[in-house]
Amino acid sequence: MMRWIKTCSKRAAALVGALLTSALWQATTRVKKVFAPLPTVGLFGTWQVAPRLEASGRVDYLSLKIKDYDGKLVNVQAGLNYRVFEHLALGVACRYVDYRLGIEKYAWSGRVRYKMNGPALVF
């Protein structure tokens, strides 16, 4: 009796494995690479605090919806730069970046989201 249960469980496991493998082979992946520069609306400014020290900041934003696609871009940065030479400055900044892309189609929906915030070194 024990041998029959082991044999049946092996056959059942093989059947389940075959069904799962066959289901995995039916999946499709579609990849489409598109390069499209998108203009953003933004503000930026620089204030000279001392002869070699400047503070800077920027805010960029874009929100767009075309048919089944919608997306959003937010970029915020504030920093301090020290001018070492006439055309070279070193600095630190704090950044916040948020990109989102969504696709809503019949029987399929998907989202891509990239979010980053934290310090940055600038030169």
Side-chain angles (χ1 to χ4, degrees), residues 35-46:
F35 174 73
L38 296 172
T40 58
V41 176
L43 297 171
F44 66 92
T46 303

Side-chain angles (χ1 to χ4, degrees), residues 34-99:
V34 177
F35 174 73
L38 296 172
T40 58
V41 176
L43 297 171
F44 66 92
T46 303
W47 177 54
Q48 188 152 0
V49 180
R52 291 184 173 252
L53 185 66
E54 62 184 25
S56 64
R58 73 177 301 140
V59 176
D60 298 300
Y61 180 79
L62 172 69
S63 181
L64 190 62
K65 181 168 177 62
I66 300 174
K67 295 184 183 180
D68 301 328
Y69 302 89
D70 67 307
K72 180 176 158 182
L73 176 146
V74 177
N75 180 28
V76 179
Q77 180 174 326
L80 276 173
N81 300 324
Y82 179 77
R83 194 166 12 124
V84 181
F85 301 111
E86 185 178 353
H87 298 290
L88 177 67
L90 300 176
V92 293
C94 185
R95 293 191 66 194
Y96 173 82
V97 178
D98 188 1
Y99 299 144

Side-chain angles (χ1 to χ4, degrees), residues 7-23:
T7 304
C8 286
S9 65
K10 285 181 184 177
R11 286 183 185 157
L15 178 63
V16 169
L19 289 174
L20 287 174
T21 303
S22 128

Side-chain angles (χ1 to χ4, degrees), residues 30 64-72 100-112:
R30 293 182 185 149
L64 190 62
K65 181 168 177 62
I66 300 174
K67 295 184 183 180
D68 301 328
Y69 302 89
D70 67 307
K72 180 176 158 182
R100 297 178 194 182
L101 174 64
I103 303 168
E104 297 289 333
K105 291 188 174 243
Y106 175 73
W108 189 85
S109 65
R111 295 247 171 248
V112 175

